[in-house]
């Protein structure tokens, strides 16, 4: 029963995170992008902090190392990731954004190996990284004669979001700090929200009063803050403990399927063949980079089943 529970929760997480890209596209019709992202994490950060106070004794960072971890999370995992994503997604489809973000696990491995010279990627792993990057190129479809076309720049910004998240994931693991993940996420969300408010002020963003009366605007903000962020991360923590990092990483490759379905149903977005091809290449890159870990995971699953 535990295995079926994990599969069900995994699919729920993929559905929640996949449909969040559609909620972003819907909300961007009413809110300016950076302020929209900041408001999302005002709410999500407060909810996560309340949960951290409830769930763990060590709910407040202490010492240079722990605050450094929070700073990296706030700057890269929350602020940079969401500024690039929300600004970029103004001019690309939810499905294309989800596919580009699915490159994060491949980039995470690449950054990890680059920052730890003693743990270099094998030749096959290097090929996997380049296969994933080629998948990005297929999705973006850059035109050499017009590299600064709006659609190309938008997709490049989403790629930058994936890179910021991957780099932040590696740096938070390298810092020597035993901070509970719930505490790190809560304070990173609040710090990232503050940074995004500052960026929003610099951009001169403001919200039209009518937005607060529009059901779609309020629904998108509530869904992103409460379902995708607060509930989604709590579900992620639970599955991370039960499944491990390798299996939970696969959610990045299931989420775009839900993005495509919900985007088609709600926004009428159609996924073209190049986006599907790019997704296949990114997934293939992940398999090449993580082939050893995936083999170990498959063997472990086989042992668990044979022991039942």
């Amino acid at each position: 029963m535990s295995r079926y529970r994990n599969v069900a929760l995994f699919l729920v997480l993929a559905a929640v995170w996949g449909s969040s890209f559609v909620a972003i596209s819907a909300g961007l019709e009413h809110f300016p992008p950076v302020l929209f992202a900041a408001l999302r994490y005002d709410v999500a950060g407060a909810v996560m902090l309340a949960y951290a106070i409830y769930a763990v004794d060590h709910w407040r960072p202490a010492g240079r190392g722990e605050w450094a971890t929070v700073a990296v999370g706030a700057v890269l995992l929350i602020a940079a990731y969401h500024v690039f994503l929300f600004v970029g997604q103004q001019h690309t489809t939810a499905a294309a954004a989800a596919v580009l973000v699915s490159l994060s696990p491949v980039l995470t491995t690449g950054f990890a190996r680059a920052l730890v010279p003693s743990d270099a990627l094998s030749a096959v792993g290097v090929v996997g990284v380049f296969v994933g990057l080629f998948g990005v190129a297929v999705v973006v479809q850059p035109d050499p004669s017009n590299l600064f076309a709006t659609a190309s720049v938008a997709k490049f910004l989403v790629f930058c979001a994936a890179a910021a998240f991957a780099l932040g994931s590696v740096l938070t693991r390298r810092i020597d700090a035993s901070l509970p993940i719930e505490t790190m996420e809560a304070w990173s969300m609040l710090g990232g929200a503050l940074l995004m408010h500052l960026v929003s002020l610099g951009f001169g963003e403001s919200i039209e009063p009518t937005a607060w009366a529009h059901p779609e605007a309020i629904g998108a903000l509530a869904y992103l803050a409460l379902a995708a962020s607060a509930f989604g991360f709590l579900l992620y923590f639970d599955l991370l403990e039960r499944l491990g990092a390798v299996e939970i990483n696969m959610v990045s490759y299931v989420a775009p399927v839900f993005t495509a379905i919900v985007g088609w149903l709600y926004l009428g977005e159609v996924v073209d063949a190049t986006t599907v091809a790019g997704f296949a290449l990114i997934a293939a890159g992940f398999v090449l980079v993580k082939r050893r870990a995936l083999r170990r995971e498959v063997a472990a699953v086989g042992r668990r089943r044979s022991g039942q």
Side-chain angles (χ1 to χ4, degrees):
M1 289 299 293
S2 177
R3 184 169 73 249
Y4 296 122
R5 173 189 180 277
N6 291 341
V7 170
L9 292 181
F10 180 92
L11 292 174
V12 169
L13 180 61
V16 168
W17 278 0
S19 55
S20 70
F21 290 92
V22 179
I24 292 171
S25 292
L28 287 172
E29 295 293 324
H30 309 278
F31 296 116
V34 180
L35 186 52
F36 184 24
L39 292 171
R40 169 186 180 176
Y41 280 98
D42 287 336
V43 178
V47 172
M48 283 302 302
L49 181 59
Y51 177 75
I53 293 171
Y54 164 78
V56 298
D57 294 329
H58 189 180
W59 61 269
R60 185 169 53 192
R64 183 178 302 176
E66 293 184 358
W67 281 111
T69 301
V70 168
V72 169
V75 173
L76 291 174
L77 298 179
I78 302 299
Y81 171 73
H82 289 90
V83 168
F84 283 130
L85 176 62
F86 278 54
V87 173
Q89 205 174 318
Q90 291 179 106
H91 302 290
T92 189
T93 65
V99 167
L100 291 170
V101 168
S102 72
L103 184 69
S104 287
V106 178
L107 292 176
T108 298
T109 303
F111 280 128
R113 305 306 172 119
L115 293 173
V116 184
S118 61
D119 195 17
L121 277 171
S122 66
V124 176
V126 172
V127 170
V129 172
F130 279 102
V131 168
L133 291 174
F134 182 65
V136 171
V138 169
V139 176
V140 175
Q141 300 181 66
D143 180 1
S145 64
N146 190 14
L147 290 176
F148 296 103
T150 299
S152 296
V153 172
K155 291 174 182 175
F156 176 72
L157 289 175
V158 177
F159 168 77
C160 289
F165 192 90
L167 179 59
S169 298
V170 172
L171 292 178
T172 54
R173 289 203 297 265
R174 289 199 66 192
I175 297 171
D176 185 18
S178 57
L179 193 63
I181 194 166
E182 295 90 344
T183 305
M184 189 275 284
E185 288 286 353
W187 288 92
S188 294
M189 285 178 178
L190 292 172
L194 176 60
L195 290 173
M196 288 188 286
H197 277 295
L198 294 175
V199 173
S200 177
L201 284 173
F203 285 174
E205 292 183 340
S206 62
I207 299 175
E208 294 293 332
T210 54
W212 296 112
H214 201 291
E216 184 180 62
I218 302 304
L221 180 58
Y223 185 84
L224 290 170
L226 299 176
S229 297
F231 174 72
F233 275 109
L234 293 178
L235 199 54
Y236 174 84
F237 298 148
D238 179 71
L239 289 171
L240 180 63
E241 183 177 347
R242 294 171 180 274
L243 301 179
V246 174
E247 283 194 55
I248 199 62
N249 260 340
M250 296 304 294
V251 77
S252 297
Y253 300 95
V254 180
V257 176
F258 287 96
T259 306
I261 294 171
V262 178
W264 172 63
L265 291 173
Y266 186 74
L267 300 176
E269 293 181 346
V270 178
V271 181
D272 57 26
T274 55
T275 299
V276 174
F279 173 71
L281 287 167
I282 292 171
F286 173 80
V287 171
L288 290 173
V289 168
K290 291 286 190 181
R291 66 196 184 283
R292 295 190 182 95
L294 289 170
R295 279 200 297 266
R296 288 195 299 269
E297 194 63 39
V298 169
V301 170
R303 287 193 297 271
R304 288 198 295 268
R305 286 182 176 177
S306 63
Q308 289 180 347

